[in-house]
């Protein structure tokens, strides 16, 4: 089947095309959309490719926030010094996202709007309290990422709207940035469970702030105020992490699927919390997953 493909060069051209072809599917890297089309899961009447719109590729400071354009590829973000220096938890997720070709094609905007519970960039963005910026015919609006993503494959993106990018607060108080995922193989794996964690530890060795988010253990990324509260004011010890891990296993709501059963995912969600013990100077093997 032949279909029209449009390549707008700027947002004005995009708006004009969107008005003329409101049912066209949008893509940049196409690593999700084109696969689903080949599988016969989608059959859009037209396509609008966003890869030539330079404003969607920007990475810039905006009054204490780091703006990451929706069209920036994972490889471009991984190579950007501001991302590596100021958002190391996101950089660590990008390092293990797919294969090199996928990182060079796929975009952070695509990872967000696909809204997969296994999306590697999503747990870091949840811990960072990121907001998305959305373009509509009325102007632009912002939405917290945890409010924007509604469920598997579902977002608050309305017909005619375009995700411009994501705005990420940079909090220097967090000096421990951790991301880890468990998959069916050591590389190129879709996460069975993932964890992003940010911790601030004071000079007395007590945890002052904690932000944690799990992927692939619920319909959306899972966060837990109870787990975070169990860490705050406590030392980063095995006992502290055991208590938090038990709460984490109770907080997640995984499902059985072809890749893993729910109980395995629940156990791993807690075990990933135990892995934070590796940030202390105590010797000994890492907890088993």
């Amino acid at each position: 089947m032949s279909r029209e493909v449009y390549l707008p060069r700027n947002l004005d051209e995009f708006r004009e095309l969107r008005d003329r072809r409101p049912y066209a599917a949008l893509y940049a890297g196409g690593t999700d959309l084109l696969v689903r089309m080949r599988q016969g899961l989608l059959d859009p009447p037209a396509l609008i490719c966003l890869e030539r719109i330079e404003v969607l590729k920007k990475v810039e400071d905006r009054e204490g926030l780091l703006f990451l354009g929706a069209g920036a590829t994972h490889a471009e973000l991984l190579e950007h010094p501001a991302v590596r220096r100021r958002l190391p938890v996101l950089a660590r997720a990008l390092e293990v996202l797919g294969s090199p070709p996928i990182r060079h094609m796929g975009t952070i905007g695509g990872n967000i709007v696909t809204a997969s519970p296994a999306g590697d960039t999503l747990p870091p963005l949840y811990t960072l309290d990121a907001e998305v910026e959305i373009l509509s015919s009325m102007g632009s609006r912002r939405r917290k990422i945890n409010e924007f993503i509604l469920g598997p494959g579902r977002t608050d993106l309305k017909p005619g709207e375009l995700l411009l990018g994501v705005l990420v607060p940079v909090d220097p108080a967090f000096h421990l940035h951790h991301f880890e995922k468990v998959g069916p193989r050591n590389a190129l794996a879709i996460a069975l469970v993932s964890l992003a964690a940010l911790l601030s530890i004071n000079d007395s060795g007590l945890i002052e702030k904690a932000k944690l988010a799990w992927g692939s253990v619920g319909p959306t990324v899972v966060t837990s105020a109870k787990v975070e509260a169990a860490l705050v004011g406590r030392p980063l010890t095995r006992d502290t992490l055991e208590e938090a891990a038990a709460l984490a296993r109770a907080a997640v709501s995984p499902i059985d699927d072809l890749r893993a059963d729910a109980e395995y995912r629940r156990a791993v969600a807690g075990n990933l919390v135990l892995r934070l013990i590796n940030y202390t100077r105590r010797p000994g093997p890492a907890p088993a997953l």
Side-chain angles (χ1 to χ4, degrees):
M1 172 185 173
S2 62
R3 57 173 55 83
E4 298 168 317
V5 179
Y6 299 94
L7 292 155
R9 294 166 295 181
N10 52 55
L11 291 178
D12 288 337
E13 289 187 5
F14 166 78
R15 289 188 187 96
E16 180 184 350
L17 280 169
R18 198 61 164 154
D19 289 341
R20 288 167 38 210
R21 297 290 186 270
Y23 299 107
L26 309 182
Y27 76 101
T31 56
D32 179 71
L33 174 69
L34 300 182
V35 169
R36 296 175 72 189
M37 288 172 60
R38 283 198 296 270
Q39 293 173 340
L41 301 175
L42 289 175
D43 188 21
L47 298 173
I48 298 177
C49 178
L50 307 170
E51 66 180 15
R52 297 187 183 183
I53 303 178
E54 288 299 321
V55 71
L56 297 181
K57 299 180 181 181
K58 285 186 175 181
V59 176
E60 60 186 12
D61 282 297
R62 293 191 183 177
E63 299 179 352
L65 303 174
L66 195 60
F67 174 79
L68 311 177
T73 69
H74 305 308
E76 289 167 342
L77 293 176
L78 185 56
E79 294 166 2
H80 200 287
V83 174
R84 298 196 70 89
R85 184 178 70 253
R86 300 168 66 183
L87 306 176
V89 67
L90 179 60
R92 291 178 185 184
L94 293 169
E95 287 173 344
V96 295
L97 191 157
S99 63
I102 291 296
R103 290 195 291 274
H104 279 86
M105 290 180 63
T107 63
I108 192 165
N111 208 233
I112 291 170
V113 299
T114 297
S116 167
D120 286 333
T121 67
L122 300 185
L125 292 175
Y126 273 62
T127 62
L128 291 163
D129 292 325
E131 289 185 308
V132 294
E133 185 174 5
I134 303 158
L135 178 70
S136 73
S137 59
M138 304 297 292
S140 64
R141 65 185 179 99
R142 293 183 184 180
R143 199 82 195 271
K144 288 283 190 183
I145 193 165
N146 63 324
E147 298 171 347
F148 176 72
I149 295 177
L150 305 177
R154 296 173 51 238
T155 71
D156 185 41
L157 199 65
K158 296 178 172 54
E161 290 187 330
L162 173 67
L163 180 66
L164 291 176
V166 57
L167 291 150
V168 187
V170 179
D171 188 343
F174 290 115
H175 50 270
L176 189 161
H177 291 240
H178 175 79
F179 178 82
E180 186 173 1
K181 70 176 181 179
V182 175
R185 54 185 185 270
N186 291 332
L188 313 185
I190 298 173
L192 297 178
V193 186
S194 62
L195 171 68
L198 301 177
L199 296 180
S200 173
I201 302 174
N202 65 23
D203 293 339
S204 300
L206 300 180
I207 301 168
E208 289 191 328
K209 297 173 68 175
K211 298 284 291 183
L212 291 87
W214 292 263
S216 289
V217 288
T220 63
V221 170
V222 173
T223 60
S224 172
K226 286 185 177 180
V227 175
E228 293 167 359
L231 294 170
V232 172
R234 304 276 299 279
L236 184 60
T237 63
R238 181 75 184 213
D239 287 344
T240 298
L241 294 176
E242 288 277 10
E243 182 179 329
L247 292 170
R249 295 185 185 105
V252 300
S253 54
I255 61 170
D256 296 325
D257 63 18
L258 293 175
R259 296 186 299 124
D261 62 47
E263 284 310 304
Y264 173 78
R265 284 189 163 104
R266 191 181 304 279
V268 172
N271 289 0
L272 285 175
V273 176
L274 299 180
R275 302 273 279 192
L276 297 176
I277 197 67
N278 289 330
Y279 290 92
T280 70
R281 295 184 178 180
R282 294 185 177 186
L289 294 173

